[in-house]
Amino acid sequence: MIFLRKRTVFHVFLVILAIGYAHSVSAKAIGVFSAQQTCPAYVSKNKLTNPDNTQILANKKYDIIEANKPDHASWYRVILPTAKPKERWISADCGDAQLSSGQGMGDNGNSSNCSIAGEADSHVLALSWQPAFCEIKPQKPECKITDPQVYQAKHFTLHGLWPNKKSCGTHYAFCDDVKAQKQNFCEYPEIKLNPTSQAALAEVMPSVTAGSCLERHEWHKHGTCQAANSKEEFFDLSVDLARQFNDSGMAYFMNRRIGQQVRTEDFLNRIAAVLGSSARERIKLSCDQGMLVEIQLSLIADLTPGADLERLIINAPAQSNSNCGETFRVDPIGQ
């Protein structure tokens, strides 16, 4: 009798253990991952092993076979036919996942509560080093500008200001009538700004003048998820933050090193010197082909117009997954 009870208790323990294990493992998923940047493709996401340095490429699509969790996945397993092994893990931060219906997400990769405006708990300010961006995407209209005296040759340019909701991962987006990403940004509805806001945005976002419609994408995907500002106010705030970053001394730092290799540690030390020590843990550096292409700076949820950038950084969430290694190159425009 005692033996039977012990066996019963042991079986219950095994069932509980199995249930716990079932909840901890990854979930099967079917869909397509649209890469927005070049990122490493890992054999093991836990150990970050990538023995052959395989990468996914920006603007390419990959078949999803698995997600690390059923909802709000932070990793997806995709198929890269030429890699060995061909099944690889990629970070959700590298693009957008479009999962088949019935797998915890809608057709646009967002769960239903990840498209409600005004629920951001932080922001990300994304700024590009335009010369390097144009090395990666030379087909963009704004990349035909090669004058070394223009703004984008000497300053970080505005990619976007993104409201974030932690529970949604990278899927807090499309909070208005437009519910899915367009392949061609000019397919989004037009964004009309007053002349002053339009001129200011055109200076820090070269695509506005070139006509590649990045501002439409940024508003419909990200701007609609903040409820505090009109279109003009949202873009005016974005422009001001981009200018503050450049004027802090970071544009000068880059200009002095155009065409040179820069130690990542030197860049981070300069960030800490001009924007406070907390900025080191709140900036993500993205490199491609050995060049710094973009920085993403973590900011708090309440972005009061006119607020000092340093104050917006201090209590923001920490960033991670910079991929620049020990050094990166500061690319000159048109080369």
Side-chain angles (χ1 to χ4, degrees), residues 27-191:
K28 288 185 178 180
I30 298 174
V32 175
F33 190 89
S34 299
Q36 295 181 337
Q37 57 183 299
T38 299
C39 284
Y42 298 110
V43 176
S44 168
K45 60 179 170 44
N46 297 325
K47 298 180 179 180
L48 299 182
T49 52
N50 186 7
D52 52 1
N53 294 317
T54 295
Q55 296 180 316
I56 59 169
L57 303 177
N59 299 319
K60 298 290 186 180
K61 294 186 177 181
Y62 302 89
D63 291 331
I64 296 172
I65 60 171
E66 194 174 352
N68 70 322
K69 49 187 177 180
D71 295 307
H72 315 312
S74 55
W75 290 90
Y76 293 100
R77 203 177 190 195
V78 300
I79 296 295
L80 280 73
T82 60
K84 293 183 180 181
K86 62 183 180 180
E87 300 86 0
R88 296 298 180 102
W89 288 100
I90 57 174
S91 170
D93 291 337
C94 297
D96 288 324
Q98 296 181 328
L99 301 182
S100 299
S101 59
Q103 298 193 63
M105 296 228 179
D107 291 338
N108 65 349
N110 297 332
S111 69
S112 59
N113 66 344
C114 290
S115 57
I116 301 173
E119 296 190 351
D121 47 35
S122 67
H123 288 81
V124 165
L125 175 67
L127 303 173
S128 302
W129 185 252
Q130 195 74 12
F133 169 83
C134 288
E135 292 283 359
I136 308 303
K137 297 185 178 181
Q139 74 279 7
K140 291 286 187 179
E142 58 266 36
C143 293
K144 295 177 182 178
I145 303 169
T146 59
D147 182 357
Q149 301 306 316
V150 296
Y151 185 91
Q152 60 261 40
K154 298 181 177 182
H155 299 80
F156 285 93
T157 59
L158 177 64
H159 179 173
L161 179 62
W162 306 334
N164 280 350
K165 184 178 177 182
K166 184 177 180 180
S167 62
C168 296
T170 59
H171 299 295
Y172 187 48
F174 298 108
C175 298
D176 201 1
D177 294 336
V178 176
K179 295 299 183 184
Q181 183 162 319
K182 307 292 186 183
Q183 289 288 72
N184 184 334
F185 290 169
C186 291
E187 294 177 3
Y188 289 109
E190 186 178 357
I191 300 299

Side-chain angles (χ1 to χ4, degrees), residues 174-242:
F174 298 108
C175 298
D176 201 1
D177 294 336
V178 176
K179 295 299 183 184
Q181 183 162 319
K182 307 292 186 183
Q183 289 288 72
N184 184 334
F185 290 169
C186 291
E187 294 177 3
Y188 289 109
E190 186 178 357
I191 300 299
K192 293 185 178 181
L193 303 174
N194 65 52
T196 301
S197 296
Q198 181 78 11
L201 182 62
E203 181 181 46
V204 303
M205 185 181 276
S207 61
V208 174
T209 301
S212 54
C213 305
L214 174 62
E215 76 280 7
R216 300 189 191 187
H217 172 73
E218 291 303 311
W219 172 256
H220 290 290
K221 182 174 183 180
H222 301 290
T224 57
C225 290
Q226 54 84 47
N229 301 295
S230 66
K231 291 184 182 72
E232 279 87 1
E233 291 168 337
F234 173 75
F235 282 116
D236 287 348
L237 175 60
S238 303
V239 169
D240 178 56
L241 294 174

Side-chain angles (χ1 to χ4, degrees), residues 263-280:
R263 291 178 66 246
T264 302
E265 188 66 16
D266 290 344
F267 185 91
L268 294 175
N269 286 340
R270 178 58 64 93
I271 283 284
V274 299
L275 291 174
S277 59
S278 58
R280 283 182 62 101

Side-chain angles (χ1 to χ4, degrees), residues 281-334:
E281 287 74 41
R282 287 160 179 83
I283 191 167
K284 174 182 176 179
L285 310 184
S286 295
C287 287
D288 200 337
Q289 299 179 21
M291 303 175 293
L292 178 65
V293 178
E294 180 168 286
I295 66 99
Q296 294 181 8
L297 192 60
S298 183
L299 308 177
I300 61 174
D302 184 14
L303 300 185
T304 305
D308 187 77
L309 179 59
E310 183 175 350
R311 294 174 66 90
L312 301 177
I313 295 170
I314 294 174
N315 294 316
Q319 290 265 42
S320 60
N321 297 324
S322 293
N323 69 343
C324 288
E326 293 184 359
T327 66
F328 59 79
R329 181 170 179 263
V330 180
D331 194 52
I333 197 168

